[in-house]
Amino acid sequence: MLLRTFGWSFAVTVLGLAFAFWAWGWQGFAIVAILSVLEISLSFDNAVVNASVLKKMNAFWQRIFLTIGILIAVFGMRLVFPVVIVAVTAQLGPIEAVQLAIDDKARYEELVTAAHPAIASFGGMFLLMIFLDFIFEEREHKWLAWLERPLAKLGRLDVLSIVIALVSLLVAATTVATNVPGAGDKSGTVLLSGVAGLLTYLVVGGLSDFFEGRLEEDEAAADEAAEKQAADAAKTGRKPQSAVGLAGKAAFFLFLYLEVLDASFSFDGVIGAFAITNDIFEMALGLGIGAMYVRSLTVYLVRQGTLDDYVYLEHGAHYAIGALAVLLLVSIQFHINEVITGLIGVVLIAASFWSSVVRNRRLGENSSSKGTAEVSSGV
């Protein structure tokens, strides 16, 4: 199971590090390895949240997530995305932007870093909406019950998460965005990008929720239609036609949601990678290897049913997302070390995992005590 799920990640790691050593020597080897670890540490919570969505998909869409999805994640977000940022901000053509990234790495890094306020605002708002919608939803299991119970009651107001997100955006635009080091006042840019991030979440998330909500109704209708077709075919002797359900549309929009989610998580990784290297190929290779492990870990969590066994893991991951959203908005003006960002996510997920283990032990002990009592009373 482990080798089947992580096999491609192991293979890509070996080939990627071997190529890094061949192309750039030991220094390149070390840079690629460090970037891989950085990406994994920053995106572990991403894998947990991805798993909560991916488990709703069938095996076909899980394969799409691992194939087409990884191409988008590695080549799209880790290689093409920074070049597109440079092309847009510097008003260059794509070829000129690539040449700039290769020939003038310092200028390339400067342009990507200058776009950080817009990137952080977009990603921060998207991630903040994910956290708010989770924390305001009534759930069977509650990790921090003293906090989650009253918030779930407040969540009965459907627009509350949007209101809080917009207020947070206004606060960011009028505080940290007014004096960005080396860029001055970026309030307008932050507001525009933040609204774009919010709209992206509402559109993609809304469509996926809509189709997912109709899926159960359409499955019942498809079963009824299949039974009718089978009955008609038995009478006429014709072969029954296959019923077409809505699962494909639902899975497609969930896939888009996952890709936008991955993009939001990758923003801080791409920007943070410039602290280690400004070579776009080293960056893409190192972050790409890390992205492979995040994808494989997502599938592993789904196939093992880990989220069902450790019920607070999803809570910890969403709290980590909320923390990352706040850090992204703060990072518009203040530099935040990537180690801090990664450690916050790791600590929250580790705490939620341990709470799940304690809960499972307690339930096991209660079951054993109940069984013993029943046997004693029977005797």
Side-chain angles (χ1 to χ4, degrees):
M1 177 65 181
L2 186 65
L3 184 60
R4 185 179 66 172
T5 306
F6 288 90
W8 279 106
S9 298
F10 295 152
V12 169
T13 301
V14 172
L15 292 176
L17 291 177
F19 176 82
F21 177 75
W22 174 78
W24 304 297
W26 283 112
Q27 181 178 355
F29 179 93
I31 288 174
V32 170
I34 292 171
L35 288 173
S36 302
V37 175
L38 172 68
E39 179 69 11
I40 295 171
S41 64
L42 290 175
S43 301
F44 189 83
D45 45 355
N46 186 13
V48 177
V49 176
N50 282 352
S52 68
V53 179
L54 193 66
K55 67 181 182 180
K56 303 174 185 178
M57 300 180 180
N58 58 23
F60 170 78
W61 280 100
Q62 290 182 11
R63 287 194 296 270
I64 292 294
F65 178 74
L66 276 176
T67 52
I68 297 177
I70 196 62
L71 290 177
I72 296 174
V74 175
F75 295 102
M77 290 308 305
R78 275 74 180 180
L79 182 61
V80 177
F81 173 70
V83 174
V84 171
I85 291 176
V86 170
V88 172
T89 55
Q91 298 182 348
L92 299 174
I95 297 178
E96 290 85 353
V98 173
Q99 289 177 340
L100 179 66
I102 296 174
D103 299 333
D104 193 351
K105 297 177 182 178
R107 177 59 177 163
Y108 170 78
E109 178 182 350
E110 179 183 341
L111 290 173
V112 174
T113 304
H116 177 67
I119 297 171
S121 179
F122 181 95
M125 290 301 295
F126 188 89
L127 295 177
L128 183 60
M129 282 298 299
I130 293 175
F131 168 71
L132 292 174
D133 277 354
F134 178 88
I135 202 67
F136 286 136
E137 184 178 347
E138 182 65 42
R139 297 184 177 277
E140 178 184 359
H141 303 291
K142 294 177 175 61
W143 181 30
L144 305 179
W146 58 272
L147 176 64
E148 295 172 11
R149 283 199 183 99
L151 289 178
K153 293 179 181 178
L154 290 174
R156 295 170 185 171
L157 299 173
D158 293 336
V159 297
L160 183 59
S161 58
I162 298 176
V163 171
I164 292 178
L166 287 174
V167 169
S168 301
L169 178 61
L170 286 174
V171 171
T174 55
T175 55
V176 294
T178 57
N179 187 24
V180 179
D185 190 351
K186 286 288 184 178
S187 300
T189 300
V190 168
L191 279 173
L192 183 62
S193 300
V195 170
L198 176 61
L199 290 176
T200 301
Y201 173 84
L202 292 176
V203 171
V204 178
L207 287 173
S208 62
D209 289 343
F210 170 75
F211 285 114
E212 185 182 353
R214 290 188 52 187
L215 184 58
E216 294 181 1
E217 300 176 6
D218 290 347
E219 283 179 348
D223 291 340
E224 184 178 344
E227 292 177 0
K228 186 177 182 300
Q229 287 181 3
D232 294 341
K235 294 178 182 179
T236 59
R238 293 179 299 178
K239 184 177 179 179
Q241 297 178 348
S242 301
V244 179
L246 197 61
K249 293 180 181 179
F252 173 72
F253 282 105
L254 284 175
F255 173 76
L256 289 183
Y257 175 81
L258 282 174
E259 290 308 313
V260 178
L261 176 63
D262 177 77
S264 299
F265 271 95
S266 69
F267 290 154
D268 60 328
V270 172
I271 298 298
F274 281 105
I276 301 172
T277 181
N278 55 12
D279 188 299
I280 60 171
F281 300 111
E282 290 180 345
M283 191 181 303
L285 184 57
L287 297 179
I289 292 174
M292 283 289 296
Y293 280 97
V294 174
R295 282 295 200 277
S296 297
L297 180 60
T298 298
V299 175
Y300 180 80
L301 293 174
V302 172
R303 292 175 178 173
Q304 291 292 101
T306 305
L307 298 185
D308 296 327
D309 295 334
Y310 302 95
V311 295
Y312 299 137
L313 264 181
E314 195 173 349
H315 294 72
H318 279 87
Y319 281 113
I321 285 177
L324 178 58
V326 173
L327 291 176
L328 277 174
L329 294 177
V330 173
S331 71
I332 292 173
Q333 181 176 354
F334 303 100
H335 173 71
I336 299 175
N337 193 286
E338 291 74 25
V339 174
I340 297 175
T341 305
L343 281 179
I344 289 177
V346 170
V347 169
L348 286 170
I349 291 176
S352 63
F353 175 79
W354 177 248
S355 297
S356 301
V357 171
V358 172
R359 171 188 176 273
N360 292 343
R361 288 178 180 175
R362 185 172 62 250
L363 291 177
E365 290 173 358
N366 291 339
S367 299
S368 299
S369 301
K370 183 178 179 181
T372 303
E374 291 176 352
V375 171
S376 301
S377 61
V379 176

